[in-house]
Amino acid sequence: IFSLISAWQTGEWSINSLMDLPMNILSIALMMKLGLAPLHFWMPEVLQGISLPTGLILSTWQKIAPMALLLQTSHLINLNLTIALGLTSIMVGGWGGIGQTQLRKIMAFSSIGHLGWIIVILKFDPQLSLLNFVLYIIMTAAMFMSLTTISATKMLEISTSWSKTPALTTTTMLILLSLAGLPPLTGFAPKLLVTLELVKQNATLLAVMVMFISLLALFFYIRLTYVVTLTLSPNTPNSLLTWRTASRSYSTTAIMNTMALILLPITPTLLLL
């Protein structure tokens, strides 16, 4: 479709420049690939139907290619399109995750909300969008790896993990707060920088709307944190060791969890890179 419309407008098959209509179609196609609202309907259902390791790939690795294309064509993207889809994604990401009990669906709506933050600022500052995207991948990967280690796919299962892996459960709770964007964790950096950039671009009303809408997502993150830390199973086992058939190394999970929590102090260094 993109090639046909480009040929229709320019009169030739070679794509030498991106016109308004073909560029909008290309942008919408890439945003559907990312799972941005209102083109998000495939993502929660697909993520719910696959395993946690596959969900990790779907939420992180699969989004690198379309995001790279959007970053390379950011100077041609329609500003109103990015703002509209960004605001819609932040709202849908918060509203859709409130009533969910399945962790994979919650992470799907969390991904939609975070990508909304990335797209809102894409036209204003592509480098900031790239930093936001890298931090999103780190935090999402850490969360999926923690859930894979705990083998939890429901809120009920994650609430009983404290007696088995207290250290990992603690860091999982902190990663949830980092995804919510609370200081002094890593997730606070992109939200602070995006808000400051929007104010600098005289888009104060847009910054206020984004922050107010993101309170919806903050609710279900704090609810998950409450379930993880403040509700204990009535049949807590006496053994502190988890029964496993084979020992595994969790060094990668530990590294990702650490990065998802303590990168805020080095944010100025990241901005200089």
Side-chain angles (χ1 to χ4, degrees):
I1 293 176
F2 169 71
S3 301
L4 287 174
I5 293 177
S6 179
W8 174 41
Q9 288 199 343
T10 61
E12 57 184 13
W13 285 105
S14 59
I15 303 175
N16 298 318
S17 62
L18 293 174
M19 308 298 287
D20 288 339
L21 185 57
M23 188 60 223
N24 288 340
I25 293 176
L26 177 63
S27 302
I28 292 172
L30 292 173
M31 291 175 184
M32 181 173 67
K33 180 74 172 174
L34 288 171
L36 286 165
L39 311 168
H40 67 286
F41 295 102
W42 64 272
M43 190 172 179
E45 300 302 326
V46 170
L47 204 60
Q48 174 60 28
I50 57 181
S51 62
L52 287 170
T54 313
L56 167 62
I57 297 173
L58 183 68
S59 300
T60 56
W61 185 259
Q62 186 223 348
K63 299 186 186 300
I64 293 177
M67 182 56 66
L69 288 173
L70 280 178
L71 287 171
Q72 291 177 12
T73 58
S74 60
H75 60 288
L76 299 170
I77 293 178
N78 189 299
L79 178 61
N80 295 327
L81 178 66
T82 59
I83 292 176
L85 266 68
L87 284 175
T88 307
S89 298
I90 297 171
M91 179 176 290
V92 168
W95 194 269
I98 286 179
Q100 297 295 334
T101 58
Q102 299 288 332
L103 294 176
R104 284 169 292 187
K105 276 195 175 182
I106 289 176
M107 291 305 298
F109 285 109
S110 169
S111 174
I112 294 169
H114 279 88
L115 288 168
W117 278 86
I118 296 170
I119 293 299
V120 159
I121 203 65
L122 179 64
K123 183 74 173 179
F124 296 107
D125 192 345
Q127 286 77 22
L128 182 55
S129 288
L130 178 60
L131 174 64
N132 200 340
F133 182 64
V134 171
L135 294 179
Y136 154 77
I137 286 182
I138 291 173
M139 293 185 293
T140 304
M143 190 64 196
F144 268 102
M145 292 170 75
S146 298
L147 293 178
T148 303
T149 304
I150 301 173
S151 300
T153 57
K154 304 182 185 68
M155 291 178 65
L156 178 62
E157 294 171 355
I158 200 173
S159 66
T160 59
S161 63
W162 177 263
S163 57
K164 301 176 183 178
T165 52
L168 183 58
T169 306
T170 303
T171 55
T172 303
M173 179 268 294
L174 291 174
I175 292 170
L176 285 169
L177 295 180
S178 181
L179 285 167
L182 296 182
L185 303 171
T186 300
F188 179 66
K191 289 182 168 54
L192 174 64
L193 295 173
V194 168
T195 305
L196 290 177
E197 182 64 28
L198 289 175
V199 173
K200 189 190 301 182
Q201 298 286 344
N202 293 322
T204 309
L205 180 59
L206 177 60
V208 171
M209 290 175 63
V210 166
M211 286 189 289
F212 269 109
I213 295 173
S214 63
L215 291 177
L216 291 169
L218 180 64
F219 171 78
F220 73 76
Y221 285 125
I222 291 180
R223 184 187 65 160
L224 260 178
T225 305
Y226 170 79
V227 169
V228 171
T229 57
L230 299 179
T231 58
L232 289 177
S233 174
N235 55 347
T236 305
N238 294 323
S239 174
L240 296 178
L241 298 177
T242 306
W243 182 84
R244 293 189 177 96
T245 55
S247 60
R248 292 179 292 175
S249 174
Y250 302 108
S251 57
T252 307
T253 305
I255 293 171
M256 294 301 296
N257 287 5
T258 304
M259 293 176 64
L261 297 178
I262 63 169
L263 289 185
L264 177 63
I266 64 170
T267 300
T269 307
L270 294 175
L271 291 174
L272 293 176
L273 295 178

